[in-house]
Amino acid sequence: RIRPDGPGGARLHIPSGGWHGGSNRINYGSTLGNVLYADLQARGYQVSVGQIGKLECDFITRKANDHAYMQVAFSIAERSVGEREYRPFSRTRDAYLRFLFTLDPLLRHCDGVRHLNLLDFMASGLGLEDARTGGSPLDNGEKREPSQEKSPLNEAFRGLVC
């Protein structure tokens, strides 16, 4: 079941500026979700917010006949965060691709979910369909540093995590 979350189904958290609950903590997950949403739309994907049962799925994407479920988090280094981010995928009953995007340099694949580094994915220019054919160099499970690509967006995020 797909539900819109904002104008035109966009899931944008811009009004909050990335600040979380009035505290002094920045919610990087929402900011990363905005960045991924904009990147996928620029690549020609239709992006919706979805639910799998009672669990929210950050995004469901469509392009031609390819569909994918996506979760976005700053990091899943904490076990509880990893469990929370992988949980919606356990409810899927179809063969759509499933992705978890984080800024983690060490990627952890679980139950067919492809865990990708968001900066590497964006810098690669590869589409989600490349992961279906196994052509993605991002899905090899090796430890690697975030992309050295010198795009303004990568430079901005490098400033956030250093």
Side-chain angles (χ1 to χ4, degrees):
R1 189 171 101 202
I2 300 169
R3 64 176 169 79
D5 189 30
R11 180 195 180 107
L12 298 177
H13 301 275
I14 293 171
S16 68
W19 294 96
H20 183 63
S23 72
N24 290 334
R25 290 186 21 218
I26 295 176
N27 184 347
Y28 291 109
S30 295
T31 303
L32 294 174
N34 289 340
V35 170
L36 180 60
Y37 176 88
D39 183 71
L40 291 168
Q41 288 231 308
R43 294 179 191 217
Y45 290 93
Q46 294 176 324
V47 185
S48 302
V49 178
Q51 280 189 296
I52 304 170
K54 292 186 180 206
L55 298 174
E56 180 181 301
C57 178
D58 288 340
F59 300 116
I60 298 175
T61 61
R62 292 174 198 76
K63 186 174 187 180
N65 290 328
D66 280 327
H67 293 68
Y69 297 111
M70 298 182 181
Q71 290 288 95
V72 184
F74 178 72
S75 174
I76 60 166
E78 289 183 36
R79 184 182 190 120
S80 63
V81 175
E83 289 171 357
R84 181 187 71 223
E85 295 300 325
Y86 277 105
R87 191 173 302 124
F89 297 125
S90 67
R91 300 275 177 101
T92 61
R93 304 271 189 258
D94 50 44
Y96 295 163
L97 290 173
R98 299 173 292 162
F99 295 96
L100 173 59
F101 289 95
T102 68
L103 295 184
D104 293 331
L106 289 173
L107 305 179
R108 186 176 77 187
H109 303 291
C110 180
D111 296 328
V113 176
R114 289 156 176 92
H115 180 191
L116 301 177
N117 179 282
L118 178 61
L119 297 181
D120 288 344
F121 172 75
M122 291 174 58
S124 74
L126 294 172
L128 299 172
E129 58 277 0
D130 294 312
R132 180 181 295 283
T133 62
S136 174
L138 304 173
D139 197 19
N140 62 11
E142 294 178 9
K143 179 181 180 191
R144 63 189 179 285
E145 295 303 313
S147 173
Q148 299 303 310
E149 195 75 19
K150 292 288 183 185
S151 75
L153 195 55
N154 284 347
E155 290 303 307
F157 273 108
R158 203 167 276 112
L160 289 175
V161 297
C162 294

